[in-house]
Amino acid sequence: MKTLVGIGLLVSSLSTTMQQGLLGAFLFLMPAITLSGLATPVENMPMWLQQADMFNPVRHIITALRRIFLEGADLATVWPQIWPLLIMACVTLPLAAWLFRRRSV
């Protein structure tokens, strides 16, 4: 979830008005949710789109939550979905903080 916070802060730090922030969040969230596998299986997508979707944090969150709630998975089972989220959070949060500091000076 910190990955989505980092992306939200990144969009917020790049925008100058509230309307730009809302549009940026909308432009990220709509494809992210559509391609996450929430409504349709990721396996039905073309292979190139499945590979590109590995950078979608919502996909990892949805997969982990399904395994936890439906299968009773433990940390070892959902670890393949957790480590990409940690890497994305380690990139987006410092980048958003850096952009915010650079803009506010």
Side-chain angles (χ1 to χ4, degrees):
M1 294 297 189
K2 292 189 191 287
T3 304
L4 294 177
V5 171
I7 292 171
L9 289 172
L10 191 62
V11 168
S12 175
S13 65
L14 290 173
S15 60
T16 56
T17 64
M18 189 171 118
Q19 287 83 10
Q20 286 178 349
L22 288 172
L23 183 63
F26 182 78
L27 288 175
F28 168 75
L29 281 176
M30 290 311 292
I33 291 172
T34 304
L35 298 174
S36 69
L38 180 66
T40 58
V42 175
E43 293 79 22
N44 291 345
M45 295 180 193
M47 187 54 69
W48 65 271
L49 193 54
Q50 289 182 29
Q51 296 297 325
D53 199 37
M54 294 304 289
F55 297 103
N56 182 2
V58 182
R59 174 187 179 176
H60 298 289
I61 293 169
I62 295 291
T63 304
L65 287 176
R66 278 191 180 150
R67 288 190 176 163
I68 291 169
F69 286 119
L70 298 177
E71 301 172 8
D74 58 349
L75 181 61
T77 308
V78 295
W79 182 250
Q81 282 73 40
I82 302 261
W83 72 265
L85 291 171
L86 291 173
I87 291 173
M88 287 182 227
C90 288
V91 171
T92 58
L93 287 169
L95 183 62
W98 178 76
L99 284 172
F100 181 74
R101 280 191 206 114
R102 197 179 108 210
R103 177 169 277 220
S104 62
V105 171

